[in-house]
Amino acid sequence: MRRCFVCAADMLSPSERHLTFLDGRRRAFALACGSCGVLLDGQADAARCRAHLREALAGETFVSDEQAPYGLDLYTLRIAATGQGRGIRPLDAADRAALLHPHAERAARAALHDFDPAGTPPVSLGLLCRPFELDGVLAGLSAQASWSDDVAILLDAAAAPPRAVAVAGFAEGAVRVAARPLSGDFAAQRNALQRLARYPWMLQLDADESLAPAAGRVLPALAAMAEAGAVRSIGLPRRNRVDGILADVFPDVQYRLNHRDVAYAGRVHERPQPAGGWRQSFITLHGAIEHRLSRAHVEARSRRYEAIDPGRGRPEEAEALLRPYRD
């Protein structure tokens, strides 16, 4: 198995982790995923694991199977459940404590429920773009009206206060365009965009990114589950397509669904910084951000980022982005 059967990350490595099951049995696992945290036997088969987990996630309650070739703590179970469009609730105080302290040794068990956006707080949508990209961004917005009624667009241009623009499907004043010079600091630009949100949570996208409306409709329920679990930042997988070809950099998790009290840090390759660290974040697998790139852009991007923030441009990433996806 090259990639994780839960999250598809190419981050499996030897593990010294154990899980303790309800009967007190303690079991060691040979491998762990460095992204979602799932544990595996050394000879686990991806197809068998995937089928077993899918069946286990279909009921009202999940209880870890001691005989399965994989293992999950509650933090990883929450991630895995999102891939089936489902959320979790801890069954008791001990389970809740384990969820708040990943990766706990306690084997996962939880109540399961389908995501239902009804009655959940709305989520704002934020977009970063340059002036020449604005018309294209506005043209693609109508599809997102099914899940958000608050859209803020921040241009990389001379500072200007928000102004309302009319977009089909949105109420008057729902879509606003503001401007602020990027000035070589992506974190500062994202933080400025975050401050334009009218709701407690905002999903941020760039002009060359998109999210299917069906995936967007799940975001309010995800944010509600995050609030219940003391989470402030949620990462979405991103599919990078270079001249239409899926790149090997996948899932390329982007932490773009954040509570407005979370700030980004880093002039380039910026990341949100929850006050409680990574434990206040998790990954959702219910949908992916689509990222459209050209080969010329990939080849120039790392050099540009390196010039902005020496040592953090990730020149090695360009090679991976130009390599087609390998299963």
Side-chain angles (χ1 to χ4, degrees), residues 12-47:
L12 297 178
S13 61
S15 170
E16 296 182 356
R17 287 180 56 197
H18 296 73
L19 288 178
T20 300
F21 293 82
L22 282 176
D23 63 1
R25 179 187 173 214
R26 191 167 182 262
R27 177 181 168 191
F29 290 85
L31 299 171
C33 174
S35 182
C36 71
V38 71
L39 302 172
L40 294 161
D41 287 341
Q43 302 302 314
D45 175 75

Side-chain angles (χ1 to χ4, degrees), residues 2-3 7-11 238-242 244-253 291 293 298 316-327:
R2 177 173 181 266
R3 291 182 178 270
C7 69
D10 184 11
M11 297 179 66
R238 183 170 70 174
R239 298 188 186 99
N240 298 287
R241 299 187 186 276
V242 182
I245 299 173
L246 181 62
D248 202 39
V249 180
F250 183 82
D252 191 23
V253 175
H291 189 202
L293 299 153
V298 170
E316 72 283 355
E317 192 172 79
E319 181 179 346
L321 282 168
L322 295 175
R323 185 171 59 239
Y325 178 81
R326 297 176 296 173
D327 209 346

Side-chain angles (χ1 to χ4, degrees), residues 88-101:
I88 68 161
R89 296 188 184 96
L91 292 176
D92 58 26
D95 289 324
R96 178 168 175 78
L99 179 61
L100 297 178
H101 295 85

Side-chain angles (χ1 to χ4, degrees), residues 195-216:
R195 289 191 291 271
L196 296 175
R198 289 171 170 162
Y199 296 127
W201 287 79
M202 171 180 268
L203 174 77
Q204 291 199 14
L205 296 174
D206 296 340
D208 57 2
E209 295 173 336
S210 61
L211 184 72

Side-chain angles (χ1 to χ4, degrees), residues 127-130 132-142 151-153 155 167 205-209 292:
L127 297 122
L128 293 178
C129 70
R130 292 167 289 186
F132 72 87
E133 297 168 318
L134 179 59
D135 287 347
V137 167
L138 292 174
L141 268 186
S142 293
V151 179
I153 301 170
L155 302 178
V167 176
L205 296 174
D206 296 340
D208 57 2
E209 295 173 336
R292 304 172 302 279

Side-chain angles (χ1 to χ4, degrees), residues 298-319:
V298 170
E299 292 173 339
R301 189 178 71 156
S302 294
R303 294 193 298 271
R304 177 188 170 210
Y305 286 180
E306 188 68 16
I308 292 173
D309 196 356
R312 299 195 69 247
R314 299 184 192 170
E316 72 283 355
E317 192 172 79
E319 181 179 346

